Every structure is written in structure tokens, then in C-alpha cells.
Coordinates of all heavy atoms in Angstrom, one line a residue:
M1 N -5.6 -28.6 17.6 CA -7.1 -28.5 17.3 C -7.5 -27.0 17.2 O -6.9 -26.2 17.8 CB -7.8 -29.1 18.5 CG -9.2 -29.4 18.2 SD -10.0 -30.4 19.6 CE -10.6 -29.0 20.6
E2 N -8.4 -26.8 16.3 CA -8.8 -25.4 16.0 C -9.5 -24.8 17.2 O -10.3 -25.5 17.9 CB -9.8 -25.5 14.8 CG -10.0 -24.1 14.2 CD -10.7 -24.3 12.9 OE1 -10.3 -25.0 12.0 OE2 -11.8 -23.7 12.8
K3 N -9.2 -23.6 17.5 CA -9.8 -22.9 18.7 C -11.0 -22.1 18.3 O -11.1 -21.6 17.1 CB -8.8 -21.9 19.3 CG -7.7 -22.6 20.0 CD -6.8 -21.5 20.7 CE -5.6 -22.0 21.3 NZ -5.7 -23.0 22.3
K4 N -12.0 -22.0 19.2 CA -13.1 -21.1 19.0 C -12.7 -19.7 19.2 O -11.7 -19.5 19.9 CB -14.3 -21.5 19.9 CG -14.9 -22.8 19.6 CD -16.1 -23.1 20.5 CE -16.6 -24.4 20.3 NZ -17.6 -24.8 21.4
Y5 N -13.4 -18.7 18.7 CA -13.0 -17.3 18.9 C -12.8 -16.9 20.3 O -11.9 -16.1 20.6 CB -14.0 -16.4 18.2 CG -15.2 -16.1 19.0 CD1 -15.3 -15.0 19.8 CD2 -16.3 -16.9 18.9 CE1 -16.4 -14.7 20.5 CE2 -17.5 -16.7 19.6 CZ -17.5 -15.6 20.4 OH -18.6 -15.4 21.2
D6 N -13.6 -17.4 21.2 CA -13.5 -17.0 22.6 C -12.4 -17.8 23.4 O -12.2 -17.6 24.6 CB -14.9 -17.1 23.3 CG -15.5 -18.4 23.2 OD1 -15.0 -19.3 22.5 OD2 -16.5 -18.6 23.9
E7 N -11.8 -18.7 22.7 CA -10.7 -19.5 23.4 C -9.3 -18.9 23.0 O -8.3 -19.3 23.5 CB -10.8 -20.9 22.9 CG -12.0 -21.6 23.5 CD -12.2 -23.0 22.9 OE1 -11.6 -23.3 21.8 OE2 -13.0 -23.8 23.4
V8 N -9.3 -18.0 22.0 CA -8.0 -17.5 21.5 C -7.6 -16.4 22.6 O -8.3 -15.6 23.1 CB -8.2 -16.8 20.2 CG1 -7.0 -16.1 19.7 CG2 -8.7 -17.8 19.1
P9 N -6.3 -16.5 22.9 CA -5.7 -15.5 23.9 C -5.9 -14.1 23.5 O -5.8 -13.8 22.3 CB -4.2 -15.9 24.0 CG -4.1 -17.2 23.4 CD -5.2 -17.4 22.5
I10 N -6.2 -13.2 24.4 CA -6.4 -11.8 24.1 C -5.0 -11.2 23.8 O -4.0 -11.4 24.5 CB -7.0 -11.1 25.3 CG1 -8.4 -11.6 25.6 CG2 -7.1 -9.6 25.1 CD1 -9.0 -11.2 26.9
G11 N -5.0 -10.5 22.6 CA -3.8 -9.9 22.2 C -3.6 -8.5 22.7 O -4.3 -8.0 23.6
G12 N -2.7 -7.7 22.1 CA -2.4 -6.4 22.6 C -3.6 -5.4 22.2 O -4.3 -5.8 21.2
T13 N -3.7 -4.3 22.8 CA -4.7 -3.4 22.6 C -4.2 -2.2 21.8 O -3.2 -1.6 22.2 CB -5.4 -2.9 23.9 OG1 -5.8 -4.0 24.6 CG2 -6.6 -2.0 23.6
I14 N -4.8 -1.8 20.7 CA -4.4 -0.6 20.0 C -5.3 0.5 20.4 O -6.5 0.4 20.3 CB -4.5 -0.9 18.5 CG1 -3.6 -2.0 18.0 CG2 -4.2 0.4 17.7 CD1 -3.8 -2.5 16.6
E15 N -4.7 1.5 20.9 CA -5.4 2.7 21.4 C -5.4 3.8 20.3 O -4.5 3.8 19.5 CB -4.8 3.2 22.7 CG -5.0 2.2 23.8 CD -4.3 2.7 25.1 OE1 -3.7 3.8 25.1 OE2 -4.4 2.0 26.1
N16 N -6.3 4.7 20.4 CA -6.4 5.8 19.5 C -6.4 5.5 18.1 O -5.7 6.0 17.3 CB -5.3 6.8 19.8 CG -5.2 7.2 21.3 OD1 -6.3 7.5 21.9 ND2 -4.1 7.4 21.8
V17 N -7.2 4.5 17.7 CA -7.3 4.0 16.3 C -8.0 5.1 15.5 O -8.8 5.9 16.0 CB -8.0 2.7 16.2 CG1 -7.2 1.6 16.8 CG2 -9.4 2.8 16.8
P18 N -7.8 5.3 14.2 CA -6.7 4.5 13.5 C -5.3 5.1 13.7 O -5.2 6.3 13.8 CB -7.1 4.8 12.0 CG -7.8 6.2 12.1 CD -8.5 6.2 13.4
T19 N -4.4 4.2 13.9 CA -3.0 4.6 14.2 C -2.2 4.9 13.0 O -1.1 5.5 13.1 CB -2.4 3.5 15.0 OG1 -2.4 2.3 14.3 CG2 -3.0 3.3 16.4
S20 N -2.6 4.4 11.8 CA -1.7 4.6 10.7 C -1.4 6.0 10.3 O -0.4 6.3 9.7 CB -2.3 3.9 9.5 OG -3.5 4.4 9.1
I21 N -2.3 6.9 10.8 CA -2.0 8.4 10.5 C -0.8 8.8 11.4 O 0.1 9.6 10.9 CB -3.2 9.2 10.9 CG1 -4.4 8.9 9.9 CG2 -2.9 10.7 10.9 CD1 -5.7 9.4 10.3
N22 N -0.7 8.2 12.6 CA 0.4 8.6 13.5 C 1.7 7.8 13.2 O 2.8 8.3 13.5 CB 0.0 8.3 14.9 CG -1.3 9.2 15.3 OD1 -1.4 10.3 14.8 ND2 -2.2 8.6 16.1
F23 N 1.5 6.6 12.7 CA 2.7 5.8 12.4 C 3.0 5.7 10.9 O 2.2 5.2 10.2 CB 2.5 4.3 13.0 CG 2.4 4.3 14.4 CD1 1.2 4.1 15.1 CD2 3.6 4.5 15.2 CE1 1.1 4.1 16.4 CE2 3.5 4.4 16.6 CZ 2.2 4.3 17.2
K24 N 4.1 6.3 10.5 CA 4.4 6.3 9.1 C 5.0 5.0 8.7 O 6.2 4.7 8.9 CB 5.4 7.5 8.9 CG 4.6 8.8 9.1 CD 5.3 10.0 8.6 CE 4.3 11.2 8.8 NZ 5.0 12.5 8.7
T25 N 4.1 4.1 8.2 CA 4.5 2.7 7.9 C 5.6 2.7 6.8 O 6.2 1.6 6.6 CB 3.3 1.9 7.6 OG1 2.5 2.6 6.7 CG2 2.5 1.5 8.8
G26 N 5.7 3.7 6.1 CA 6.7 3.7 5.0 C 8.1 3.8 5.5 O 9.0 3.6 4.7
D27 N 8.3 4.0 6.8 CA 9.7 4.1 7.3 C 10.4 2.8 7.3 O 11.6 2.8 7.3 CB 9.6 4.7 8.7 CG 9.3 6.1 8.8 OD1 9.3 6.8 7.7 OD2 9.1 6.7 9.9
W28 N 9.7 1.7 7.3 CA 10.4 0.4 7.5 C 10.4 -0.5 6.3 O 10.6 -1.7 6.4 CB 10.0 -0.3 8.8 CG 8.5 -0.3 9.0 CD1 7.8 0.6 9.7 CD2 7.5 -1.2 8.5 NE1 6.4 0.2 9.7 CE2 6.2 -0.9 8.9 CE3 7.6 -2.4 7.6 CZ2 5.1 -1.6 8.6 CZ3 6.4 -3.1 7.3 CH2 5.2 -2.7 7.8
K29 N 10.0 0.0 5.1 CA 9.9 -0.9 4.0 C 11.3 -1.2 3.3 O 12.2 -0.4 3.4 CB 9.0 -0.4 2.9 CG 9.3 0.9 2.3 CD 8.3 1.3 1.2 CE 8.5 2.6 0.7 NZ 8.0 3.7 1.5
S30 N 11.4 -2.4 2.7 CA 12.6 -2.8 2.0 C 12.4 -2.8 0.5 O 13.4 -2.7 -0.2 CB 13.1 -4.2 2.5 OG 12.1 -5.1 2.2
M31 N 11.1 -2.9 0.1 CA 10.8 -2.8 -1.3 C 9.9 -1.6 -1.5 O 9.1 -1.3 -0.6 CB 10.1 -4.1 -1.8 CG 10.9 -5.3 -1.6 SD 12.3 -5.4 -2.7 CE 11.5 -5.8 -4.3
T32 N 9.9 -1.0 -2.7 CA 9.0 0.2 -2.9 C 8.4 0.1 -4.3 O 9.1 -0.4 -5.3 CB 9.8 1.5 -2.7 OG1 8.9 2.6 -2.7 CG2 10.9 1.7 -3.8
P33 N 7.2 0.5 -4.5 CA 6.6 0.4 -5.8 C 6.9 1.6 -6.6 O 7.1 2.7 -6.1 CB 5.1 0.4 -5.5 CG 4.9 1.1 -4.2 CD 6.2 0.9 -3.4
V34 N 7.1 1.4 -7.9 CA 7.3 2.5 -8.9 C 6.3 2.4 -10.0 O 6.1 1.3 -10.5 CB 8.8 2.4 -9.4 CG1 9.0 3.5 -10.5 CG2 9.8 2.5 -8.3
I35 N 5.6 3.5 -10.3 CA 4.6 3.4 -11.3 C 5.1 3.8 -12.7 O 5.8 4.9 -12.8 CB 3.4 4.4 -10.9 CG1 2.8 3.9 -9.6 CG2 2.4 4.4 -12.0 CD1 1.7 4.8 -9.1
D36 N 4.8 3.1 -13.7 CA 5.1 3.4 -15.1 C 3.8 4.1 -15.6 O 2.9 3.4 -16.0 CB 5.5 2.2 -15.9 CG 5.8 2.5 -17.3 OD1 5.4 3.6 -17.8 OD2 6.5 1.7 -18.0
H37 N 3.8 5.4 -15.7 CA 2.6 6.1 -16.1 C 2.2 5.9 -17.5 O 1.1 6.2 -17.9 CB 2.8 7.6 -15.7 CG 2.8 7.9 -14.3 ND1 1.7 7.8 -13.5 CD2 3.8 8.2 -13.4 CE1 2.0 8.1 -12.2 NE2 3.3 8.3 -12.2
E38 N 3.2 5.5 -18.3 CA 2.9 5.2 -19.7 C 2.0 3.9 -19.8 O 1.1 3.8 -20.7 CB 4.2 4.9 -20.5 CG 5.1 6.1 -20.6 CD 4.6 7.2 -21.5 OE1 4.1 6.8 -22.6 OE2 4.6 8.4 -21.2
K39 N 2.2 3.0 -18.9 CA 1.4 1.7 -18.9 C 0.1 1.9 -18.1 O -0.8 1.1 -18.3 CB 2.3 0.6 -18.3 CG 3.4 0.1 -19.2 CD 4.1 -1.1 -18.5 CE 5.3 -1.6 -19.3 NZ 6.0 -2.6 -18.6
C40 N 0.1 2.8 -17.2 CA -1.1 2.9 -16.3 C -2.4 3.3 -17.1 O -2.3 4.3 -17.9 CB -0.8 4.0 -15.3 SG -2.3 4.3 -14.2
K41 N -3.4 2.5 -16.9 CA -4.7 2.8 -17.6 C -5.7 3.6 -16.8 O -6.8 3.8 -17.1 CB -5.4 1.4 -18.0 CG -4.5 0.5 -18.8 CD -4.2 1.0 -20.2 CE -3.4 0.0 -20.9 NZ -2.5 0.6 -21.9
K42 N -5.2 4.0 -15.6 CA -6.0 4.8 -14.7 C -7.3 4.1 -14.2 O -8.4 4.8 -14.0 CB -6.4 6.2 -15.3 CG -5.1 7.0 -15.8 CD -5.5 8.3 -16.4 CE -4.4 8.9 -17.2 NZ -3.1 9.0 -16.7
C43 N -7.3 2.8 -14.1 CA -8.4 2.0 -13.7 C -8.7 2.2 -12.2 O -9.8 1.9 -11.7 CB -8.2 0.6 -14.1 SG -6.9 -0.2 -13.2
K44 N -7.7 2.6 -11.4 CA -7.8 2.8 -10.0 C -8.0 1.5 -9.1 O -8.2 1.6 -8.0 CB -8.9 3.8 -9.6 CG -8.7 5.1 -10.3 CD -9.9 6.0 -10.0 CE -9.9 7.2 -10.9 NZ -11.1 8.0 -10.8
I45 N -7.8 0.4 -9.8 CA -7.9 -0.9 -9.0 C -6.9 -1.0 -7.9 O -7.2 -1.4 -6.8 CB -7.7 -2.1 -10.0 CG1 -8.8 -2.2 -11.0 CG2 -7.5 -3.4 -9.2 CD1 -10.1 -2.8 -10.5
C46 N -5.7 -0.5 -8.2 CA -4.7 -0.5 -7.1 C -5.0 0.2 -5.9 O -4.7 -0.2 -4.8 CB -3.3 0.0 -7.7 SG -3.5 1.6 -8.5
T47 N -5.8 1.3 -6.0 CA -6.2 2.1 -4.9 C -7.1 1.3 -3.9 O -7.1 1.6 -2.7 CB -6.9 3.4 -5.3 OG1 -8.1 3.1 -5.9 CG2 -6.0 4.2 -6.2
I48 N -7.9 0.4 -4.5 CA -8.8 -0.4 -3.7 C -8.0 -1.4 -2.8 O -8.3 -1.7 -1.7 CB -9.8 -1.1 -4.6 CG1 -10.6 -0.1 -5.3 CG2 -10.7 -2.1 -3.8 CD1 -11.5 -0.7 -6.5
F49 N -7.0 -2.0 -3.4 CA -6.2 -3.0 -2.8 C -5.2 -2.6 -1.8 O -4.8 -3.3 -0.9 CB -5.6 -4.0 -3.8 CG -6.5 -4.9 -4.4 CD1 -7.1 -4.6 -5.6 CD2 -6.9 -6.1 -3.8 CE1 -8.0 -5.5 -6.2 CE2 -7.8 -7.0 -4.4 CZ -8.4 -6.7 -5.6
C50 N -4.7 -1.4 -1.9 CA -3.6 -0.9 -1.0 C -4.1 -0.9 0.5 O -5.1 -0.2 0.8 CB -3.2 0.5 -1.3 SG -1.9 1.1 -0.2
P51 N -3.5 -1.7 1.4 CA -4.0 -1.7 2.8 C -3.7 -0.5 3.6 O -4.2 -0.3 4.6 CB -3.2 -2.9 3.3 CG -2.0 -3.0 2.5 CD -2.4 -2.6 1.1
D52 N -2.8 0.4 3.0 CA -2.5 1.6 3.8 C -3.1 2.9 3.1 O -2.7 4.0 3.5 CB -1.0 1.8 3.9 CG -0.5 0.9 5.0 OD1 -1.0 1.0 6.1 OD2 0.4 0.0 4.7
E53 N -3.9 2.7 2.1 CA -4.4 3.8 1.3 C -3.3 4.8 0.9 O -3.5 6.0 0.9 CB -5.5 4.6 2.2 CG -6.7 3.7 2.5 CD -7.8 4.5 3.2 OE1 -7.9 5.7 3.0 OE2 -8.6 3.8 3.9
A54 N -2.2 4.2 0.5 CA -1.1 5.0 0.1 C -1.1 5.3 -1.4 O -0.3 6.0 -1.9 CB 0.2 4.2 0.4
L55 N -2.1 4.7 -2.1 CA -2.2 5.0 -3.6 C -3.4 6.0 -3.7 O -4.5 5.7 -3.3 CB -2.4 3.7 -4.4 CG -1.2 2.8 -4.5 CD1 -1.6 1.4 -4.9 CD2 -0.3 3.4 -5.5
I56 N -3.1 7.1 -4.4 CA -4.1 8.1 -4.5 C -4.2 8.5 -6.0 O -3.2 8.7 -6.6 CB -3.8 9.4 -3.7 CG1 -3.6 8.9 -2.2 CG2 -4.8 10.4 -3.8 CD1 -2.3 9.4 -1.6
F57 N -5.5 8.6 -6.5 CA -5.6 9.2 -7.8 C -5.8 10.7 -7.7 O -6.7 11.2 -7.1 CB -6.9 8.6 -8.5 CG -7.0 9.0 -9.9 CD1 -6.1 8.5 -10.9 CD2 -7.9 9.9 -10.3 CE1 -6.2 9.0 -12.2 CE2 -8.0 10.4 -11.6 CZ -7.2 9.9 -12.6
N58 N -4.8 11.4 -8.2 CA -4.8 12.8 -8.2 C -5.7 13.4 -9.3 O -5.3 13.2 -10.5 CB -3.3 13.3 -8.3 CG -3.2 14.8 -8.2 OD1 -4.1 15.6 -8.6 ND2 -2.1 15.3 -7.6
E59 N -6.8 13.9 -9.0 CA -7.7 14.4 -10.0 C -7.1 15.5 -10.8 O -7.4 15.7 -12.0 CB -9.0 14.9 -9.3 CG -9.8 13.8 -8.6 CD -10.5 12.9 -9.5 OE1 -10.6 13.2 -10.7 OE2 -10.9 11.8 -9.0
K60 N -6.3 16.3 -10.2 CA -5.7 17.5 -10.9 C -4.7 17.0 -12.0 O -4.8 17.4 -13.2 CB -4.9 18.3 -9.9 CG -4.8 19.8 -10.3 CD -4.2 20.5 -9.1 CE -4.0 22.0 -9.5 NZ -3.5 22.7 -8.3
T61 N -3.8 16.1 -11.7 CA -2.8 15.6 -12.6 C -3.4 14.4 -13.4 O -2.7 14.0 -14.4 CB -1.5 15.2 -11.9 OG1 -1.8 14.1 -11.0 CG2 -0.9 16.3 -11.2
Q62 N -4.5 13.8 -13.0 CA -5.1 12.6 -13.6 C -4.1 11.4 -13.6 O -3.9 10.7 -14.5 CB -5.5 12.9 -15.0 CG -6.7 13.8 -15.1 CD -8.0 13.2 -14.6 OE1 -8.5 12.2 -15.2 NE2 -8.6 13.7 -13.5
Q63 N -3.3 11.4 -12.5 CA -2.3 10.3 -12.3 C -2.4 9.6 -11.0 O -2.8 10.3 -10.0 CB -0.9 10.8 -12.5 CG -0.6 11.1 -14.0 CD 0.9 11.3 -14.2 OE1 1.6 11.7 -13.3 NE2 1.4 11.1 -15.4
I64 N -2.1 8.3 -10.9 CA -1.9 7.6 -9.6 C -0.7 8.1 -9.0 O 0.4 8.2 -9.6 CB -1.9 6.1 -9.9 CG1 -3.2 5.6 -10.4 CG2 -1.5 5.4 -8.6 CD1 -4.3 5.5 -9.4
E65 N -0.8 8.4 -7.7 CA 0.4 8.8 -6.9 C 0.6 7.9 -5.7 O -0.4 7.4 -5.2 CB 0.3 10.3 -6.5 CG 0.3 11.3 -7.6 CD 0.1 12.7 -7.2 OE1 -0.2 12.9 -6.0 OE2 0.1 13.6 -8.1
I66 N 1.8 7.8 -5.3 CA 2.1 7.0 -4.1 C 2.5 7.9 -2.9 O 3.4 8.7 -3.1 CB 3.2 5.9 -4.4 CG1 2.7 5.0 -5.5 CG2 3.5 5.1 -3.1 CD1 3.8 4.1 -6.1
D67 N 1.9 7.7 -1.8 CA 2.3 8.4 -0.6 C 3.4 7.5 0.1 O 3.1 6.5 0.8 CB 1.1 8.6 0.3 CG 1.5 9.5 1.5 OD1 2.7 9.5 1.9 OD2 0.6 10.1 2.2
Y68 N 4.6 7.8 -0.2 CA 5.7 7.0 0.3 C 5.9 7.0 1.8 O 6.6 6.2 2.4 CB 7.0 7.3 -0.4 CG 7.1 6.8 -1.9 CD1 6.9 7.7 -2.9 CD2 7.2 5.5 -2.2 CE1 6.9 7.3 -4.3 CE2 7.2 5.0 -3.5 CZ 7.1 6.0 -4.5 OH 7.1 5.5 -5.8
E69 N 5.3 8.0 2.5 CA 5.4 8.0 3.9 C 4.6 6.9 4.5 O 4.9 6.4 5.7 CB 4.9 9.3 4.4 CG 5.9 10.5 4.2 CD 5.6 11.7 5.0 OE1 4.4 12.0 5.3 OE2 6.5 12.4 5.4
Y70 N 3.6 6.4 3.8 CA 2.7 5.4 4.4 C 2.8 4.1 3.6 O 2.4 3.0 4.1 CB 1.3 5.9 4.4 CG 1.1 7.0 5.4 CD1 1.1 8.3 5.0 CD2 1.0 6.7 6.8 CE1 1.0 9.4 6.0 CE2 0.9 7.7 7.7 CZ 0.9 9.1 7.3 OH 0.8 10.1 8.2
C71 N 3.3 4.1 2.4 CA 3.4 2.8 1.7 C 4.4 1.9 2.4 O 5.5 2.3 2.7 CB 4.0 3.1 0.3 SG 4.6 1.6 -0.6
K72 N 4.0 0.7 2.7 CA 4.9 -0.2 3.5 C 5.6 -1.2 2.6 O 6.2 -2.1 3.1 CB 4.1 -0.9 4.6 CG 3.0 -1.7 4.2 CD 2.2 -2.2 5.4 CE 1.0 -3.0 5.0 NZ 0.1 -3.2 6.2
G73 N 5.4 -1.1 1.3 CA 6.1 -1.9 0.4 C 5.7 -3.4 0.3 O 6.5 -4.3 0.0
C74 N 4.4 -3.6 0.6 CA 3.9 -5.0 0.6 C 3.8 -5.6 -0.8 O 3.9 -6.8 -0.9 CB 2.5 -5.0 1.3 SG 1.2 -4.2 0.3
G75 N 3.7 -4.8 -1.8 CA 3.7 -5.3 -3.2 C 2.3 -5.8 -3.7 O 2.2 -6.2 -4.8
I76 N 1.3 -5.6 -2.9 CA -0.1 -6.0 -3.3 C -0.5 -5.2 -4.6 O -1.0 -5.8 -5.5 CB -1.1 -5.8 -2.2 CG1 -0.8 -6.7 -1.1 CG2 -2.5 -5.9 -2.7 CD1 -1.7 -6.5 0.2
C77 N -0.2 -3.9 -4.6 CA -0.6 -3.1 -5.8 C 0.1 -3.6 -7.1 O -0.6 -3.7 -8.1 CB -0.2 -1.6 -5.6 SG 1.5 -1.4 -5.2
A78 N 1.3 -4.0 -7.0 CA 2.0 -4.5 -8.2 C 1.4 -5.8 -8.6 O 1.3 -6.1 -9.8 CB 3.5 -4.7 -7.8
R79 N 1.0 -6.6 -7.7 CA 0.4 -7.9 -8.0 C -1.0 -7.7 -8.6 O -1.4 -8.4 -9.6 CB 0.3 -8.8 -6.8 CG 0.0 -10.3 -7.1 CD -0.3 -11.1 -5.9 NE -1.5 -10.6 -5.1 CZ -1.7 -10.8 -3.8 NH1 -0.8 -11.5 -3.1 NH2 -2.8 -10.3 -3.3
E80 N -1.7 -6.8 -8.1 CA -3.1 -6.6 -8.6 C -3.2 -5.7 -9.9 O -4.3 -5.8 -10.6 CB -4.0 -5.9 -7.5 CG -4.1 -6.8 -6.3 CD -4.8 -8.1 -6.6 OE1 -5.6 -8.2 -7.5 OE2 -4.5 -9.1 -5.8
C81 N -2.2 -5.0 -10.2 CA -2.3 -4.2 -11.4 C -2.1 -5.1 -12.6 O -1.1 -5.8 -12.8 CB -1.2 -3.2 -11.5 SG -1.1 -2.3 -13.1
K82 N -3.2 -5.2 -13.4 CA -3.2 -6.2 -14.5 C -2.5 -5.7 -15.8 O -2.4 -6.3 -16.8 CB -4.7 -6.5 -14.9 CG -5.5 -7.1 -13.7 CD -4.8 -8.3 -13.1 CE -5.6 -8.8 -11.9 NZ -4.8 -9.5 -10.9
F83 N -2.0 -4.4 -15.7 CA -1.3 -3.8 -16.8 C 0.2 -3.7 -16.7 O 0.8 -3.1 -17.5 CB -2.0 -2.5 -17.1 CG -3.4 -2.5 -17.3 CD1 -4.3 -2.3 -16.3 CD2 -4.0 -2.9 -18.5 CE1 -5.7 -2.4 -16.4 CE2 -5.3 -3.0 -18.7 CZ -6.2 -2.8 -17.7
G84 N 0.7 -4.3 -15.6 CA 2.1 -4.3 -15.4 C 2.7 -2.9 -15.2 O 3.8 -2.6 -15.5
A85 N 1.8 -2.0 -14.7 CA 2.3 -0.6 -14.5 C 3.0 -0.3 -13.2 O 3.5 0.8 -13.0 CB 1.0 0.3 -14.6
I86 N 3.0 -1.3 -12.3 CA 3.7 -1.1 -11.0 C 4.7 -2.1 -10.9 O 4.4 -3.3 -10.9 CB 2.7 -1.1 -9.8 CG1 1.6 -0.1 -10.0 CG2 3.5 -0.8 -8.5 CD1 0.5 -0.1 -8.9
Q87 N 5.9 -1.7 -10.6 CA 7.1 -2.6 -10.4 C 7.6 -2.4 -9.0 O 7.7 -1.2 -8.6 CB 8.2 -2.4 -11.4 CG 7.8 -2.7 -12.8 CD 7.5 -4.1 -13.1 OE1 8.2 -5.0 -12.7 NE2 6.4 -4.4 -13.9
M88 N 7.9 -3.5 -8.3 CA 8.5 -3.3 -7.0 C 10.0 -3.3 -7.1 O 10.6 -4.1 -7.9 CB 8.1 -4.5 -6.1 CG 6.7 -4.6 -5.8 SD 5.9 -3.1 -5.0 CE 6.7 -3.1 -3.4
K89 N 10.6 -2.3 -6.5 CA 12.1 -2.1 -6.6 C 12.7 -2.2 -5.2 O 12.1 -1.8 -4.2 CB 12.4 -0.7 -7.1 CG 11.8 -0.4 -8.5 CD 12.6 -1.0 -9.6 CE 11.9 -0.6 -11.0 NZ 12.5 -1.3 -12.1
D90 N 13.9 -2.7 -5.1 CA 14.6 -2.8 -3.9 C 15.0 -1.4 -3.4 O 15.6 -0.7 -4.2 CB 15.9 -3.7 -4.1 CG 16.5 -4.1 -2.8 OD1 16.7 -3.2 -1.9 OD2 16.8 -5.3 -2.6
M91 N 14.7 -1.1 -2.2 CA 15.0 0.2 -1.7 C 16.5 0.6 -1.8 O 16.9 1.7 -2.0 CB 14.6 0.3 -0.2 CG 13.1 0.4 0.1 SD 12.4 1.9 -0.5 CE 13.0 3.1 0.7
R92 N 17.4 -0.4 -1.7 CA 18.8 -0.2 -1.8 C 19.2 0.3 -3.1 O 20.2 1.0 -3.3 CB 19.6 -1.5 -1.4 CG 19.5 -1.8 0.0 CD 20.0 -3.2 0.3 NE 19.2 -4.2 -0.4 CZ 19.4 -5.5 -0.2 NH1 20.3 -6.0 0.6 NH2 18.6 -6.4 -0.8
D93 N 18.4 0.0 -4.2 CA 18.7 0.5 -5.5 C 18.2 1.9 -5.8 O 18.5 2.5 -6.8 CB 18.1 -0.4 -6.6 CG 18.7 -1.8 -6.4 OD1 19.8 -2.0 -5.9 OD2 18.0 -2.8 -6.8
Q94 N 17.4 2.4 -4.8 CA 16.8 3.8 -5.0 C 17.8 4.9 -4.6 O 17.5 6.0 -4.8 CB 15.5 3.9 -4.2 CG 14.5 2.8 -4.5 CD 14.0 3.0 -5.9 OE1 13.5 4.0 -6.3 NE2 14.0 1.9 -6.7
K95 N 18.9 4.5 -3.9 CA 19.8 5.5 -3.3 C 20.8 5.9 -4.3 O 21.1 5.3 -5.2 CB 20.4 5.0 -2.0 CG 19.4 4.9 -0.9 CD 19.9 4.3 0.3 CE 18.8 4.1 1.4 NZ 19.2 3.3 2.4
Ligands
SF4_101 S1 -4.1 -0.8 -11.3 FE1 -2.4 -0.3 -12.6 S2 -3.3 0.5 -14.4 FE2 -4.9 0.6 -12.8 S3 -4.6 2.6 -12.0 FE3 -3.3 1.3 -10.8 S4 -1.3 1.4 -11.7 FE4 -2.8 2.2 -13.2
SF4_102 S1 3.3 -1.6 -1.9 FE1 1.5 -2.1 -0.6 S2 1.4 -0.3 0.8 FE2 2.7 0.3 -0.9 S3 1.3 1.3 -2.3 FE3 1.5 -0.8 -2.9 S4 -0.2 -1.9 -1.9 FE4 0.0 0.1 -0.9

């Protein structure tokens, strides 16, 4: 049976939020996004969807960049890019 919000057991507490600055979520990914700048239309849609704010539009270079220290390899950016400019690659193939 569905529980009401106040019936759900209390979970762990996260202190000193936001913690993602302190925890480099990119350390444990198995897949990694790679941008094809030839295909990128600079629409910045991917930056909105990234849950770790790991996609940044560099105003200087006018290109999308990935902060690999925080990208956790979820693949949302690749799914949301309508131009096929982001491909997910297996980390084992990057070495
Ligand atoms: S969603 Fe795709 S085309 Fe748009 S900025 Fe991101 S990588 Fe480029
Ligand atoms: S794979 Fe996930 S965490 Fe990494 S840049 Fe794309 S949306 Fe962000």
C-alpha cells in the first residue's frame, strides 16, 4: 500500500550541503560523455539537464565543456541532445 509522506522512514542526513563540491562524483563513473563539437549547435540544452552541473558553456571558446571531475556518467546529456553531439563512451576504452 502506498505510504503518506509522514509514514516513510527517515533516511540519512546530509550535512554541509551542497556536498557535490566536496565529493567529486566523476571518480566513480563507468561511462563518460564525449562532445562532437562539429555537431554541437550551442543550444545549451544539455547544461540544463545535467544533474551535476558538469556541462559548462565556455563564453571565451564558445564551446560546451565537460567538467570530468564532477560528471558522473549518467548519460542524460547524451539522451537530451537532439543533435547527436554527445556520445557516451565506456571508460575502459578511454585508457
Ligand atoms: S544539447 Fe547538444 S547541441 Fe545543444 S549545446 Fe549541448 S551538446 Fe551542443
Ligand atoms: S553524463 Fe550526466 S553528469 Fe555527465 S555531463 Fe552528462 S548529464 Fe552531466
Side-chain angles (χ1 to χ4, degrees):
M1 198 172 89
E2 200 170 302
K3 290 185 188 296
K4 292 181 185 170
Y5 78 92
D6 55 351
E7 295 171 342
V8 176
I10 296 170
T13 305
I14 298 172
E15 296 178 355
N16 304 321
V17 291
T19 56
S20 60
I21 293 168
N22 301 324
F23 293 104
K24 295 193 173 163
T25 46
D27 286 351
W28 45 264
K29 64 179 173 279
S30 60
M31 300 291 285
T32 191
V34 176
I35 298 175
D36 181 340
H37 292 287
E38 295 290 317
K39 289 183 180 174
C40 177
K41 306 291 184 211
K42 308 180 195 317
C43 66
K44 304 177 191 171
I45 293 285
C46 53
T47 65
I48 298 167
F49 283 95
C50 177
D52 281 305
E53 297 186 25
L55 287 161
I56 305 129
F57 185 73
N58 185 326
E59 296 289 345
K60 205 169 176 181
T61 62
Q62 291 290 298
Q63 284 192 335
I64 293 286
E65 293 175 357
I66 301 169
D67 186 338
Y68 287 106
E69 287 195 327
Y70 292 99
C71 164
K72 61 187 174 191
C74 66
I76 292 173
C77 55
R79 194 186 62 202
E80 295 301 330
C81 176
K82 304 304 177 207
F83 303 99
I86 305 177
Q87 297 295 316
M88 297 304 291
K89 305 277 184 190
D90 193 310
M91 287 291 286
R92 290 170 294 189
D93 298 335
Q94 303 296 306
K95 293 176 182 165

